[in-house]
Amino acid sequence: MNTWIRRLAVIALLAASLIGPAARAAVGQGTKLYHGAAYYPELWPEADVARDIAEMKKLGINVVRVGEFAWAKMEPDEGRMDFSFFQRVFDQLHAAGIDVVLCTPTATPPIWLSHGHPERAFIDAEGRAMIHGARQHMSYENPEVRAACLRIVAAEATALGRHPAVIAWQIDNELKCHVAEDFNPSAIANWQRWLEKRYGTIEALNAAWGTEIWSQRYQRFDQVPAPLRTPFLHNASLSTAYRMFNRERTADLVAEQCAEIRQHSSAPITHNTMRWFSVGLESLHAPLDFASFDDYPSSKDWRNLIVDYDLFRGAKPGRAFWVMETSVAHNGWLSNHEPAHPPGFLEVEAVADYALGGEAFCYWLWRQQRTGCELPHSAILSAWGKPTLGYAPVERVEAARRRLEPLLAASQPAPSEAAVTWSDLARAMWQTEPLGANRTHPVDYQKAIGDWHSLLMDAGIPRDIRFEGAPLDGLKLLVTPMMPHVSVAFLAKVEKFVRAGGVWICGPLTGGRTAEHTVPTDAALGALEKLAGIEVVYSFPVNGIDAQAEAAGVSAPLAGWCNALRPAAPETQIVGTLRTDRVEPGLAFATERPLDRGAIVVLGAEPQGDAGKTMLAKLVTHYAGRAALGSRYTATPGTLVAPRVAADGHRLWIAVNLDGAGGEVQLPTAATDALTHAALPAGALKLGRYEWRAVRF
Ligand code: GAL
């Protein structure tokens, strides 16, 4: 068996050296749908590889991700590197037609790098040093650690980067998933250098941060602390800057690894991330070729899944994204686990991924861990090599993938006309200052993004979540919630968009802080007020008082923070009134200013509860009409339409029931079932529990 596989491998290697670049070009193009798993052959006897491959072929697994935790296998002692094991495994995979996403192994630094070197440890905000174990325990800011990372990456790329099985690279894995800002002395020294580069002189930093406050004034950059423990809180400017510095350094680590790889390999590069980690998504993606992420939703949490699909689709415009990990049934680690998926959920998770612009749907993991700390996590095969609870769902995904591939390869996700803004700086600022939060009212940037995304989705509006720096091309409606700092560049871009006919829903709680995380002194919202034709009269918390918003015929309670608005331009209208005995009557919580062909709508606060949701849904519907969105669909909540456009111009809808309750979608005209070619009349198309349909117009 082995000799047979080896022989085939050699023939395939020769063939692939001719066709390799063409095969690689497919990644990110969305012309082939990948179905994969995280594979750790280094954890099992080498003889198991042939059996694994045979099982993978049976299931239709056409890609595996390898190597992200295998540093000690690749470099068992400092400087002694050996990639022959992976070479042999890749030969076998390639011979069987299974592609490889090769990872750099820097997520798990080996013992020889950490032992006897406490100065290389990751140190958290409490000043606690991590010891060897788990992962992410070392400081990538330490020069020896960073150099060791780049050395292993260069050696790995040299040894394996041109292997024909390797269709893509993944840098590290989930940077900053277990840890946040690094307080290693090397990180702090780099921080001080970073500040010097950014501000030039210490006087400039003192002025920007207003360090006269509490006698914080610094005399030299090497005195500026990192925000470790103090008796009370740090200056907001310092805290936010430290977060952004760390996120930039993480993006630099990715860029440095990419540069090493690109010297030896032309395969496109990604990183597997999540939007909850302490990274800046926009800077992280800049050096990458395509986006990938992992997602472990419970079936009840399917909305977050769609947030991710709509966010990562735009992270590298024009390149299909990958779901690099999800669980086949349930996730788990020592002491905890999540519920196992209901039958049918995994299939629609995959269908929604592919339909919304994903090119790959991959599992964590192929075979249940027999050691380590994730023993209870589901996998396709059990540790004893038998099909698990997740096996049959994976078979169903594969059947769906095969049916979808010809349709999706010949079409693209339809460009979105609506978007929600994602700002990494905003997220960092909310982490520093959750304005409006108290014991009764938590404030969370991610939740706000998710809530606004849901408002658009439930209104049947196909949508993107776009990075703050992304162009607004193709959009007619933009919502920018909770972005405390509105930069000059962003405001200029939005003004152009609005004047050309776009509708910008600005807020709630957008504006109000400078780039340095200070309070503007010209107007509460700085330059935004002038453009929006408003004046913020008061800016104050509304938790614990009776404050009501009235708009769109609905009255709803307010909580959190509130900007009480007054029109300051003749054409600005009040579209939502504010009622509380704390301020005089007649002030607004929502305004609209028509500007050339478009409009700016400012929301000064966030209506709460079911009434608040109803009010915001009505406002979204109203402004979607005002923006003349042409791409809306009507579906019951919990059922999603992914609209696509085929190369020959026809429209394709993939309709998916995600909440497991079944639902229906209104077909605006007669259509055909793209899979069975059956005629579908205009009107309601019913979908059962976790059912999906492909509709051709
Ligand atoms: C991911 C991680 C994997 C594994 C998995 C378990 O976040 O990338 O390595 O730990 O979680 O759910």
Side-chain angles (χ1 to χ4, degrees), residues 387-398:
T388 63
L389 210 60
Y391 193 93
V394 171
E395 287 179 314
R396 284 180 64 172
V397 170
E398 176 59 10

Side-chain angles (χ1 to χ4, degrees), residues 40 65 68-69 135 173-174 177-178 272 274 277 294 296 325 327 331-333 364 374 377:
Y40 303 101
R65 189 191 56 162
E68 74 274 25
F69 305 129
R135 43 191 181 187
N173 184 59
E174 291 195 330
C177 78
H178 301 302
N272 174 41
M274 275 193 193
F277 301 157
D294 48 345
Y296 288 88
E325 298 180 14
S327 64
N331 62 6
W333 53 95
W364 200 87
E374 295 182 301
H377 201 291

